[in-house]
């Protein structure tokens, strides 16, 4: 679990944070010419864990993901957090998997579970959330007020370490491809060494505020297409002149809108 080395070694260690394969690494494993769009569909559906790339069928991939998921959930979270109701923990995880990219709080999750007929206290949900993030199954992302230049303490979002796990657990029902793409971009920003936050600018929301080790900031908005309404509005409302990017699945030539750079996200 994340943080256990710090306790055991009293700070005398270097932590190397690792993630599953990036899209570029995944593409590099397929020497035959395949379109990026097709590889992206496989990347999010078949899992980005390195071992899964070498498996030949969906059945084998599901068997592998089943073992991984149950090891993380049952061994790491249940045992280390002393959870008495593993079934409720799994219900909370399913809720989070189904709400990647949405604002979540312990109270909202507790209310959703109670509405479904399974009463749970907010404090219990908080314990579950700490275990889920400590296991590196999901990442908690806080919010940053761009105009006020301050970090906000409430209403975080959660992103998943591997999209294949979502398809394994929930199947293909009610898939929000926009939020899945947002999840993939979030993980890529982490790989590149950024501190990542959700941006708040007035009533609008910027998908990601990314800060590098020098303190330089860039803003990223993610959308399936630039043709969606209000895609540019949050970036246009930012008062400063830090770089602004619109990342879309439209494979158009690079273009700029009032200083906002549109890019084909798979590139």
């Amino acid at each position: 679990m994340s943080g256990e080395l710090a306790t055991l070694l009293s700070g005398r260690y270097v932590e190397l944070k690792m993630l599953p394969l990036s899209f570029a690494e995944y593409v590099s494993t397929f020497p035959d010419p395949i379109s990026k769009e097709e590889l992206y569909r496989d990347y999010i559906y078949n899992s980005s864990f390195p071992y899964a790339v070498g498996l030949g069928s969906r059945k084998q991939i599901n068997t592998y993901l089943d073992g991984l998921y149950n090891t993380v959930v049952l061994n790491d979270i249940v045992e280390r957090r002393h959870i008495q109701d593993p079934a409720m923990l799994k219900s909370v995880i399913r809720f989070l998997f189904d709400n990647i990219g949405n604002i979540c709080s312990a109270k909202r999750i507790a209310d959703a579970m109670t509405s479904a007929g399974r009463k749970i206290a907010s404090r219990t949900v908080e314990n579950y959330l700490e275990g889920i993030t400590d296991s590196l199954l999901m990442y908690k992302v806080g919010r940053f007020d761009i105009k006020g230049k301050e970090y906000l303490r409430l209403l975080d979002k959660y992103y998943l370490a591997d999209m294949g796990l979502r398809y394994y657990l929930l199947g293909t029902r009610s898939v929000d491809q926009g939020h899945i793409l947002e999840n993939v971009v979030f993980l890529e920003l982490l790989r590149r060494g950024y501190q990542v936050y959700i941006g708040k600018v007035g009533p609008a929301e910027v998908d990601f505020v990314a800060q590098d080790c020098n303190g330089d900031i860039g803003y990223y908005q993610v959308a399936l297409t630039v043709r969606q309404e209000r895609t540019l509005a949050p970036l246009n409302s930012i008062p400063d002149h830090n770089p602004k990017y619109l990342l879309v699945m439209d494979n158009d030539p690079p273009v700029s809108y009032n200083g906002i750079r549109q890019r084909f996200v798979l590139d």
Side-chain angles (χ1 to χ4, degrees):
M1 299 284 275
S2 177
E4 288 187 356
L5 282 178
T7 301
L8 293 171
L9 302 179
S10 304
R12 296 184 297 274
Y13 72 102
V14 174
E15 182 182 52
L16 301 177
K17 296 184 179 181
M18 299 185 69
L19 289 161
L21 296 177
S22 69
F23 182 59
E25 290 168 333
Y26 184 83
V27 169
S28 72
T29 68
F30 297 89
D32 296 331
I34 306 174
S35 73
K36 288 180 182 176
E37 288 84 355
E38 183 177 351
L39 285 170
Y40 173 74
R41 287 192 296 270
D42 292 342
Y43 176 70
I44 61 174
Y45 182 59
N46 291 333
S47 173
S48 58
F49 285 114
Y51 186 77
V53 176
L55 299 177
S57 69
R58 184 65 200 178
K59 182 179 180 180
Q60 290 176 317
I61 292 172
N62 277 343
T63 299
Y64 168 65
L65 292 178
D66 179 76
L68 187 64
Y69 171 75
N70 283 291
T71 297
V72 170
V73 173
L74 296 180
N75 290 358
D76 288 354
I77 303 177
V78 173
E79 291 183 11
R80 286 171 168 81
R81 306 297 299 191
H82 307 292
I83 289 173
Q84 303 301 314
D85 189 352
M88 178 62 84
L89 170 65
K90 290 183 178 181
S91 294
V92 170
I93 291 174
R94 291 179 69 92
F95 179 88
L96 288 171
F97 278 27
D98 204 24
N99 284 274
I100 54 173
N102 291 325
I103 294 292
C104 282
S105 67
K107 183 179 185 305
R108 181 191 171 193
I109 297 171
D111 289 346
M113 296 295 105
T114 301
S115 298
R118 303 197 65 193
K119 187 173 179 60
I120 184 173
S122 295
R123 184 66 193 92
T124 302
V125 174
E126 290 176 3
N127 182 43
Y128 290 179
L129 292 175
E130 290 172 3
I132 290 166
T133 54
D134 280 349
S135 72
L136 304 181
L137 181 65
M138 301 193 80
Y139 293 86
K140 175 181 175 181
V141 187
R143 296 196 305 154
F144 180 75
D145 186 335
I146 295 172
K147 288 186 176 180
K149 303 298 182 185
E150 61 179 348
Y151 301 102
L152 304 175
R153 297 181 58 186
L154 301 175
L155 302 178
D156 305 307
K157 290 187 178 184
Y158 290 83
Y159 291 101
L160 183 56
D162 172 68
M163 297 313 306
L165 283 169
R166 186 192 187 280
Y167 282 101
Y168 149 76
L169 194 63
L170 302 182
T172 56
R173 65 175 180 82
S174 64
V175 177
D176 186 331
Q177 291 296 337
H179 280 156
I180 286 178
L181 181 61
E182 189 180 312
N183 199 130
V184 171
V185 170
F186 165 74
L187 293 175
E188 182 63 21
L189 291 171
L190 284 190
R191 285 188 191 91
R192 299 187 181 197
Y194 291 105
Q195 294 286 334
V196 185
Y197 307 94
I198 308 302
K200 180 181 179 298
V201 51
E205 183 179 279
V206 176
D207 287 331
F208 301 119
V209 178
Q211 185 176 42
D212 66 19
C213 59
N214 297 316
D216 296 326
I217 288 176
Y219 304 110
Y220 295 83
Q221 197 74 357
V222 183
L224 290 178
T225 173
V226 71
R227 297 158 186 87
Q228 291 176 333
E229 293 184 12
R230 299 185 297 276
T231 298
L232 295 170
L235 293 175
N236 277 322
S237 63
I238 297 175
D240 62 47
H241 298 288
N242 290 312
K244 305 176 181 70
Y245 301 93
L246 174 63
L247 306 180
V248 293
M249 289 291 286
D250 302 317
N251 192 0
D252 299 332
V255 65
S256 178
Y257 307 94
N258 192 30
I260 300 169
R261 308 170 202 174
Q262 178 186 324
R263 295 292 183 267
F264 179 39
V265 64
L266 298 188
D267 281 344

